[in-house]
Amino acid sequence: SGLLFPEFKDAATWLSESASAISNYFPTAFLDDGCLVELDASYHTGEVDQFIRIYNAAQLNGKAQAFGSDYLDKLLPSCTFVADYCYPDATWEWFNDTRAQSSSVIRRWMSSYATLYPGENKFLWMGSAGTRGTQPAESLTEYRTSGYYMFRSGWKASDRMLIYKNNDNPQNMWHAHRDNGTIGLYVNGRHFLPAPGPYTYGDETGGSLDAIRAEHQAARNHNTLTRELA
């Protein structure tokens, strides 16, 4: 309202208060490595998109400065996480409650990140399917706070990538599954050991859907190894 209705007498106050609240929300929404606190790539990209839309609206109305000079700096690790989490063909693993997403949508996200961060070659490379920029050099990317580790032979669609999930989730966040030790493997366009993704969010009443969700989240229904302790 402060952006779009500047003719109202309290518009400046609305903008100042909301911009401060939004800028201070980053540590609540994201862990210190940039991953969403829910540990779910689908919700992660939705949250990033909201921050970008707010910034773009402010910029179009000449008010981006209200959100602080470090707004984009604080958002960058969360955009980078998306690029690192995705396989070389711009698909991703369905860890936790992450859902399927088309490569065209993921590349569109990458292109929007590249517009915000023209100096970040990784976004340009992935958004253009490797036709622009240069191939990123990283073969290992670590997100230690959230517990995601990505190993690559390269960033081309013909390369290989293994992603290892070991989420630090003592509060049992709702969209995470109890399957630490799970891996996903991509080789030359094929997905091996795919994670099952969500089946149901339950009904939050302790009914049958909650029981199904608990069963689906269990480690025995994922690509991991467990050890029973006597």
Side-chain angles (χ1 to χ4, degrees), residues 6 16 29 31 43 45 91 100 103 107 115 140 173 175 177 183 186-187 191-192 196 206 217-218 223 228-229:
S16 176
L31 299 169
Y43 283 91
T45 51
T91 59
S103 58
R107 293 199 193 284
T115 300
L140 168 63
M173 294 297 287
H175 290 293
H177 293 188
I183 63 172
Y186 167 98
V187 179
H191 292 214
F192 297 89
Q217 287 182 310
N223 300 313
E228 287 192 16
L229 299 178

Side-chain angles (χ1 to χ4, degrees), residues 36 38 40-48 97 99 175 201:
L36 184 72
E38 289 277 6
D40 177 303
S42 294
Y43 283 91
H44 178 105
T45 51
E47 196 86 350
V48 168
D97 279 346
R99 299 174 299 284
H175 290 293
Y201 284 167

Side-chain angles (χ1 to χ4, degrees), residues 164 178-183 218-226:
Y164 172 70
R178 295 179 292 276
D179 62 329
N180 278 349
T182 297
I183 63 172
R220 60 181 169 271
N221 293 316
H222 295 77
N223 300 313
T224 185
L225 296 175
T226 59

Side-chain angles (χ1 to χ4, degrees), residues 1-227:
S1 297
L3 284 173
L4 303 179
F5 302 103
E7 65 273 19
F8 284 88
K9 64 179 182 179
D10 292 329
T13 300
W14 297 341
L15 176 59
S16 176
E17 291 179 353
S18 61
S20 176
I22 290 167
S23 296
N24 292 330
Y25 184 62
F26 280 95
T28 301
F30 300 106
L31 299 169
D32 60 17
D33 60 7
C35 183
L36 184 72
V37 295
E38 289 277 6
L39 304 168
D40 177 303
S42 294
Y43 283 91
H44 178 105
T45 51
E47 196 86 350
V48 168
D49 185 62
Q50 293 297 323
F51 278 104
I52 291 176
R53 287 173 182 267
I54 290 168
Y55 180 81
N56 287 341
Q59 191 174 49
L60 287 170
N61 286 275
K63 300 293 185 180
Q65 70 278 4
F67 292 83
S69 59
D70 62 345
Y71 185 92
L72 290 183
D73 291 336
K74 290 188 287 189
L75 184 59
L76 177 58
S78 301
C79 295
T80 303
F81 172 81
V82 181
D84 289 336
Y85 182 83
C86 290
Y87 289 130
D89 65 346
T91 59
W92 61 18
E93 197 58 72
W94 299 0
F95 286 142
N96 297 327
D97 279 346
T98 300
R99 299 174 299 284
Q101 189 55 267
S102 68
S103 58
S104 61
V105 170
I106 290 176
R107 293 199 193 284
R108 189 163 68 243
W109 290 336
M110 293 296 113
S111 295
S112 72
Y113 302 167
T115 300
L116 278 179
Y117 303 100
E120 295 293 327
N121 177 68
K122 187 180 296 184
F123 302 145
L124 182 63
W125 171 269
M126 292 194 66
S128 67
T131 62
R132 299 177 63 194
T134 55
Q135 181 180 181
E138 297 96 328
S139 58
L140 168 63
T141 47
E142 302 175 281
Y143 290 82
R144 295 191 175 190
T145 302
S146 54
Y148 285 108
Y149 303 85
M150 284 67 91
F151 305 82
R152 300 172 182 267
S153 66
W155 291 73
K156 300 187 300 296
S158 57
D159 285 317
R160 300 179 302 279
M161 175 177 163
L162 182 144
I163 177 169
Y164 172 70
K165 171 185 179 290
N166 189 36
N167 294 153
D168 182 13
N169 187 29
Q171 296 179 344
N172 192 26
M173 294 297 287
W174 178 248
H175 290 293
H177 293 188
R178 295 179 292 276
D179 62 329
N180 278 349
T182 297
I183 63 172
L185 179 63
Y186 167 98
V187 179
N188 193 25
R190 296 187 63 184
H191 292 214
F192 297 89
L193 307 175
Y199 178 75
T200 175
Y201 284 167
D203 50 22
E204 300 183 13
T205 64
S208 60
L209 286 180
D210 282 352
I212 292 172
R213 177 171 174 80
E215 174 66 17
H216 187 73
Q217 287 182 310
R220 60 181 169 271
N221 293 316
H222 295 77
N223 300 313
T224 185
L225 296 175
T226 59
R227 176 186 176 190

